[in-house]
Amino acid sequence: FGSRPANFGSKVRDVSIMKREREWADDSVAKRFVADRGVPRTACVLKALCTESVTGLFLRDKASVKDEVQQEAGVKLVFSEKGDCFPNTQFRVLGIYGDDVSNIMRALEMIVSRIADLGEEESVRPPQPGCELLGKEPSEYVFRLCLSTRLARILIGARGANVQKLRKDTGAKVFIENESLIGHRYCRVIGRTETIVQCLEQIANLVQVENAGEDFQFYYGLLNFGQAAANGIPNEPDLGGGCVGFSSWQPGGEVPEAAALSEAVKGFPEGTTDLPYSITCKLPSAVVPALIGKSGEFVKTVEDLTSTSIEFSPPEQDSMRSMSVVGPLLHCYYAHVTMMKKVFETEAREQERQERARRQAEAAEAAAAEAAAAQAQAEAEAEAEAEAQAQAEAEAEAEYQQEEGVFDGAPAPAEELPTSSEDVLKKMLELQRQLDELRSKVK
């Protein structure tokens, strides 16, 4: 919100606009809405709008380019159905879904690079009017996306402060249409490829910070706008441009405590809510890296969004760290709630990761036990087979020995020897006779 504090109640919007917004919320469109088919469940999303040339590049050749981006960036790319375009345009919606902003950004870098390649071909094959990928200045390209109406207003900021700062910080030209179409606004980012990527990184971080509530779920799940209109989902009434404050804290919102807080602040002496206040709490050291974000992007986005300053103390002996939020009163509360939401999301993801690891370990242990049981059974079967083989061999050997006159390995009984002198003499004469017969045969 730049240097201006958030303003609540009638100071921001008149009663008639607030009434119309409540009517839109009471219509429960987000509550009744069911996400489009093929939309995955991830923590982050950004929706690009693709010309026919960009869509064709990603889907031709069996969607080889799409598969390449998905695999390298770790995202899921989902296009709206053929012929279903963002309202009043010829652009199909591309949902970029990932578990972290870094995955979304890697995909966006690859997409922007391919848009630049296609833009260079426009000198040979001019596109239809309004579908240009080349900007008016040299080396300028056009990236199109859509944001929810609420995100678009936050991106614009009070009197355009946020979008002006975004343009100044990144060098990109950012244009956001005033008309809301089924809860969305059409946006264009124009500049060199590197400036477009820098600008999209800040927008992606904004979407991640605001990824709660039915408004985000509606943004997350809607790709087929034509089908949504056919199903009777109405356009959100045009509530005017600019920043509308933190919608969850407005009277008539879904959080009674937040509405009560907003009402209570109205009783403060004028100007006192704009003074610097501080909220300090202790957090587990393990969650702080997620609150800071890659290169400090997350905490910086929250600071810019809420006009606060957020600092973390060094780790303490009990593995805790203090977080201090300093800024205007309601800004401090909003920044604190946003950071705590990130804490709960981080802890939920960690618990999910641990549960997944536990299930995998149990599955691996069960598989190992099953393999061990199978191995033991195989060894028992092999041992039984070996015993049967040995038994068969033993039986065959016994049968063979029986045929040869040998039993149980004992030699055949020897001829009985003579015992008396007369028997010995007879035996000697018999042997002499046999010897003489052999000699005669030899001769």
Side-chain angles (χ1 to χ4, degrees):
F1 294 88
S3 60
R4 295 177 59 86
N7 207 345
F8 293 83
S10 59
K11 294 183 179 180
V12 176
R13 296 174 301 170
D14 60 38
V15 175
S16 62
I17 291 180
M18 294 176 66
K19 179 179 179 181
R20 280 184 288 160
E21 185 177 54
R22 285 197 296 271
E23 289 172 350
W24 163 255
D26 291 341
D27 188 47
S28 301
V29 171
K31 292 180 181 179
R32 294 185 287 105
F33 176 72
V34 178
D36 287 337
R37 184 177 58 184
V39 171
R41 297 187 56 151
T42 58
C44 306
V45 62
L46 195 70
K47 296 196 295 195
L49 302 180
C50 300
T51 63
E52 184 177 351
S53 59
V54 175
T55 304
L57 173 66
F58 274 79
L59 297 183
R60 66 175 176 239
D61 298 329
K62 298 182 180 179
S64 58
V65 175
K66 175 186 171 184
D67 292 341
E68 178 187 351
V69 174
Q70 289 184 142
Q71 183 175 1
E72 186 169 337
V75 298
K76 178 72 173 178
L77 303 182
V78 184
F79 280 89
S80 61
E81 298 292 339
K82 185 177 182 180
D84 197 317
C85 299
F86 188 79
N88 301 335
T89 74
Q90 303 176 41
F91 311 135
R92 285 176 69 176
V93 182
L94 169 61
I96 308 169
Y97 298 90
D99 291 325
D100 190 80
V101 173
S102 60
N103 301 109
I104 301 292
M105 288 312 305
R106 178 59 188 138
L108 287 171
E109 290 173 2
M110 299 176 72
I111 294 171
V112 170
S113 174
R114 283 163 173 77
I115 286 176
D117 293 340
L118 291 172
E120 295 302 323
E121 298 176 4
E122 290 185 352
S123 58
V124 179
R125 292 189 295 272
Q128 297 181 10
C131 298
E132 297 84 2
L133 297 176
L134 279 178
K136 294 181 179 179
E137 301 296 329
S139 301
E140 273 191 349
Y141 304 96
V142 182
F143 185 92
R144 298 171 174 88
L145 68 152
C146 63
L147 296 173
S148 72
T149 302
R150 179 171 179 270
L151 286 172
R153 294 195 191 108
I154 294 175
L155 181 61
I156 294 171
R159 300 183 180 179
N162 289 347
V163 73
Q164 291 175 14
K165 184 176 185 300
L166 182 62
R167 292 166 178 165
K168 181 179 179 181
D169 291 345
T170 64
K173 302 172 185 176
V174 183
F175 301 95
I176 304 173
E177 298 294 327
N178 290 326
E179 184 181 9
S180 293
L181 299 166
I182 312 184
H184 289 67
R185 288 193 183 181
Y186 169 42
C187 310
R188 289 175 296 150
V189 179
I190 302 175
R192 300 189 307 276
T193 54
E194 61 270 22
T195 61
I196 291 176
V197 170
Q198 291 174 13
C199 182
L200 292 176
E201 184 171 13
Q202 295 199 30
I203 295 175
N205 279 308
L206 169 64
V207 175
Q208 170 66 3
V209 169
E210 294 292 318
N211 67 345
E214 294 169 355
D215 176 83
F216 178 77
Q217 296 303 321
F218 188 62
Y219 176 75
Y220 183 100
L222 178 59
L223 295 176
N224 297 298
F225 284 80
Q227 182 178 343
N231 290 338
I233 295 181
N235 276 332
E236 178 183 9
D238 187 3
L239 306 180
C243 174
V244 298
F246 308 124
S247 63
S248 62
W249 283 7
Q250 294 165 2
E254 297 181 359
V255 185
E257 295 83 356
L261 175 62
S262 178
E263 290 296 328
V265 169
K266 293 179 181 179
F268 277 48
E270 186 176 356
T272 55
T273 58
D274 296 339
L275 297 174
Y277 293 80
S278 174
I279 296 178
T280 302
C281 64
K282 285 191 174 183
L283 300 169
S285 297
V287 303
V288 173
L291 297 179
I292 295 174
K294 184 179 179 181
S295 303
E297 283 298 329
F298 185 81
V299 68
K300 182 179 181 298
T301 300
V302 176
E303 288 178 328
D304 292 343
L305 178 65
T306 61
S307 296
T308 59
S309 174
I310 303 174
E311 295 183 354
F312 296 93
S313 69
E316 302 174 7
Q317 294 182 352
D318 57 356
S319 298
M320 303 291 284
R321 294 179 69 174
S322 295
M323 180 183 72
S324 296
V325 183
V326 178
L329 183 59
L330 289 179
H331 292 222
C332 284
Y333 281 118
Y334 185 64
H336 180 256
V337 168
T338 302
M339 299 298 279
M340 292 306 299
K341 171 177 167 291
K342 184 70 170 179
V343 170
F344 297 142
E345 289 176 348
T346 302
E347 291 179 340
R349 281 197 295 268
E350 177 61 20
Q351 291 176 0
E352 183 180 352
R353 185 194 66 78
Q354 292 178 359
E355 177 64 18
R356 186 165 55 249
R358 183 189 65 79
R359 290 196 299 266
Q360 291 174 349
E362 290 179 351
E365 185 177 348
E370 184 178 352
Q375 178 68 18
Q377 182 178 357
E379 291 176 355
E381 292 176 353
E383 185 177 352
E385 184 177 354
E387 291 178 356
Q389 180 69 20
Q391 180 67 23
E393 291 176 356
E395 292 175 353
E397 179 66 18
E399 184 179 352
Y400 171 75
Q401 290 176 352
Q402 186 176 6
E403 292 176 355
E404 292 295 323
V406 179
F407 301 93
D408 297 330
E415 183 178 357
E416 187 176 353
L417 296 176
T419 56
S420 63
S421 300
E422 184 179 355
D423 292 335
V424 170
L425 179 60
K426 288 181 179 181
K427 187 66 176 176
M428 290 177 64
L429 293 174
E430 176 65 23
L431 292 174
Q432 183 63 43
R433 185 184 64 77
Q434 292 176 359
L435 180 62
D436 292 341
E437 289 179 356
L438 289 173
R439 285 176 178 171
S440 62
K441 288 180 179 181
V442 170
K443 290 180 180 181

